[in-house]
Amino acid sequence: MDRLLRRPVFIIAPVRSGSTLLRMTLGAHSRLHAPHELHFRRLEVRSATRLAERSLSLLGLERADLEHLLWDRVLHRELVRSGKSAIVEKTPGNAFVYRRIAACWPDARFLFLLRHPASVARSWHEADPAKRDPETAAHDALRYLRAVDRARNELPGHTVRYEELTADPAAALGAVCEFLEIDWEPEMLDYGRGRAAALGDMEKGLGDWKDKIRTGRVQPGRELPAPDEVPEVLRGICAAWGYADLVAGSVR
């Protein structure tokens, strides 16, 4: 009853899974505003005194309630500034707080973006080789992959595969539009033009910042890894997501 934001859309995805590409294409829609990663879950509320904490508690407002009000206000402000009707948020860390997001916005809609786990790990290693060797990248990626898997099993929503988005973006985005109950718009394929979000907000920490995403159009994805190229630690999640058996270079 006290939420300003109505039916927000959250992309629940691992790091390096194509979430920036998905948000840019969605942001090119006339009704969807898809800003850079907002990291709103890191906005926290603290009471300076016990008396203030007690006073708010008597109003039925605990710390989590206050943070939810703050999150709602920030995202609603951003949506109003855009002049569009729905906001799309895609910070990968949201996968770790999906229950709070669902509690904050009971009418939220969720898009689950999947990518071959080995491709996720490889891309994360390549994004910063000095920080993560391939083994570290695989273990770090698994934390995100498992969080997305838990969210996908608990929440209703629509699943998008990165491989399908890059192979046939019109079909993949058309299915997303149907889920969101909006009309498909061809401009979504050319997100670098017209109503799309500006390419100037591409910077490390706020989404993908590489040249490929800056082209303004959906680019072909890389070849899927062969089964023997998948790190042992990722084989379980590969099987769970349908990537264990490859047929002609595509998912089952």
Side-chain angles (χ1 to χ4, degrees):
M1 295 297 292
D2 55 7
R3 296 293 180 264
L4 298 175
L5 201 60
R6 300 300 178 192
R7 305 190 76 198
V9 180
F10 294 94
I11 299 172
I12 305 297
V15 294
R16 310 304 304 170
S17 61
S19 59
T20 296
L21 174 62
L22 181 56
R23 78 100 171 167
M24 293 300 288
T25 56
L26 294 180
H29 195 284
S30 60
R31 294 181 58 186
L32 302 177
H33 177 51
H36 60 267
E37 294 174 9
L38 300 180
H39 295 271
F40 65 88
R41 76 183 182 105
R42 297 301 189 185
L43 300 177
E44 300 178 348
V45 172
R46 294 282 189 275
S47 297
T49 65
R50 289 183 178 275
L51 189 59
E53 184 176 335
R54 174 59 178 159
S55 175
L56 290 171
S57 180
L58 290 173
L59 298 179
L61 294 171
E62 305 299 335
R63 175 184 168 186
D65 302 308
L66 294 169
E67 289 175 347
H68 290 175
L69 290 173
L70 175 61
W71 296 356
D72 181 66
R73 183 64 180 88
V74 170
L75 268 63
H76 180 263
R77 176 182 182 273
E78 178 59 22
L79 178 60
V80 170
R81 289 178 61 198
S82 75
K84 295 190 177 184
S85 58
I87 195 166
V88 179
E89 217 288 325
K90 73 95 176 174
T91 307
N94 289 345
F96 297 106
V97 292
Y98 65 89
R99 288 174 179 160
R100 286 198 65 182
I101 291 174
C104 181
W105 295 283
D107 61 350
R109 294 168 289 175
F110 295 94
L111 296 172
F112 303 105
L113 178 61
L114 308 186
R115 186 183 184 183
H116 194 298
S119 297
V120 170
R122 179 180 173 185
S123 180
W124 209 8
H125 160 65
E126 293 174 347
D128 197 342
K131 185 176 181 180
R132 293 182 184 85
D133 59 39
E135 182 178 358
T136 301
H139 281 84
D140 287 351
L142 185 59
R143 293 178 51 248
Y144 282 87
L145 296 164
R146 284 174 171 168
V148 172
D149 195 54
R150 288 192 294 269
R152 187 168 169 245
N153 286 327
E154 290 187 26
L155 298 175
H158 176 75
T159 296
V160 185
R161 290 186 186 269
Y162 171 79
E163 295 82 6
E164 296 170 352
L165 176 62
T166 54
D168 191 348
L173 293 172
V176 171
C177 288
E178 183 177 357
F179 170 72
L180 297 179
E181 300 176 320
I182 57 178
D183 293 331
W184 151 256
E185 294 180 356
E187 292 88 346
M188 299 170 74
L189 299 179
D190 195 11
Y191 61 79
R193 286 177 157 193
R195 295 185 294 260
L199 296 178
D201 64 1
M202 302 289 190
E203 65 177 81
K204 192 172 183 178
L206 300 181
D208 195 351
W209 69 101
K210 300 294 187 178
D211 291 339
K212 192 173 182 179
I213 196 70
R214 292 178 182 273
T215 63
R217 291 190 63 85
V218 180
Q219 301 296 310
R222 67 173 62 183
E223 289 293 324
L224 290 177
D228 60 0
E229 296 176 320
V230 177
E232 179 68 32
V233 70
L234 298 179
R235 291 181 182 175
I237 195 73
C238 282
W241 285 8
Y243 289 103
D245 298 325
L246 306 183
V247 179
S250 63
V251 298
R252 288 186 296 180

